[in-house]
Amino acid sequence: MYSIRLFKIMDIPIELHITFILFLIVIIGLSIMNNNIFWAVLFILLFVSVVLHELGHSYVAKKYGVKIEKILLLPIGGVAVMDKIPKEGELKIGIAGPLVSFALGITLLIISQFFDININGNPLLYTLSLLNLMLVSFNLIPAFPMDGGRILRAILSKKYGYLKSTKIAANIGKMLALAMLILGLLSMNIILILVSLFVYFGA
Ligand code: ZN
């Protein structure tokens, strides 16, 4: 709903949510006004990276017979909409996305040491490599709805069963969210505060 379908990759439709399109227009507008297209180019490439991350999850999920309805891009990131997540595949599906981002980040980081594209004095590949590595650390926070939460549950469920593991993982997520909120308020870090709310309600 309220999204535009771009094209299909691996038979999966890639869709842009209306809020994503508005966000993109604002970023491009600001870039033009400031005579600096660096941020617009970076933003677009970041979302290509996010699509690759989601395709990583999707690729492994398909091997477990999961049907992937679409990959939806929102201003805060991407989601691969799946009909179900099989318990036995959850660990591998969860790891696949961060693994793609990590490989991408490291590859870009190495390339950027030899060659980079400078836009208005900003190194494009280097910045993109850091953003991909940040995406990995952000996603590995062991809390829902982050990949780390799913990975944690998959590991726990081997010992405690699925339902109990979900509860444990959700509680760890809530505690982490509270710790981040306190840290965010103390340091007046808006991003940390937003992430903590995101994690709390996800849990
Ligand atoms: Zn992911």
Side-chain angles (χ1 to χ4, degrees), residues 157-178:
S157 68
K158 289 205 166 73
K159 203 173 168 191
Y160 299 106
Y162 197 68
L163 214 64
K164 196 175 174 199
S165 303
T166 306
K167 278 187 191 150
I168 298 173
N171 282 333
I172 292 176
K174 279 185 191 165
M175 282 191 282
L176 266 172
L178 282 177

Side-chain angles (χ1 to χ4, degrees), residues 6 13 44 60 72 107 114 146 152 155 173 181:
L6 283 187
I44 291 166
V60 179
L72 182 63
T107 308
F114 300 99
M146 253 62 91
L152 178 68
I155 294 170
L181 181 65

Side-chain angles (χ1 to χ4, degrees), residues 5-65:
R5 189 162 286 198
L6 283 187
F7 43 75
K8 282 185 174 182
I9 304 176
M10 285 171 21
D11 221 25
I12 302 162
I14 312 292
E15 292 189 6
L16 306 179
H17 192 259
I18 181 79
T19 52
F20 178 86
I21 297 167
L22 292 174
F23 201 66
L24 185 63
I25 291 171
V26 170
I27 297 235
I28 292 175
L30 284 173
S31 284
I32 293 169
M33 269 164 57
N34 292 315
N35 223 343
N36 185 350
I37 59 157
F38 177 72
W39 299 107
V41 175
L42 185 68
F43 182 77
I44 291 166
L45 289 179
L46 176 63
F47 273 88
V48 173
S49 310
V50 169
V51 169
L52 290 173
H53 173 110
E54 295 304 330
L55 282 174
H57 288 304
S58 306
Y59 178 75
V60 179
K62 274 192 156 189
K63 297 205 157 182
Y64 284 93

Side-chain angles (χ1 to χ4, degrees), residues 88-102:
E88 62 295 355
E90 190 173 39
L91 183 62
K92 284 182 186 163
I93 296 171
I95 289 174
L99 209 62
V100 168
S101 301
F102 184 73

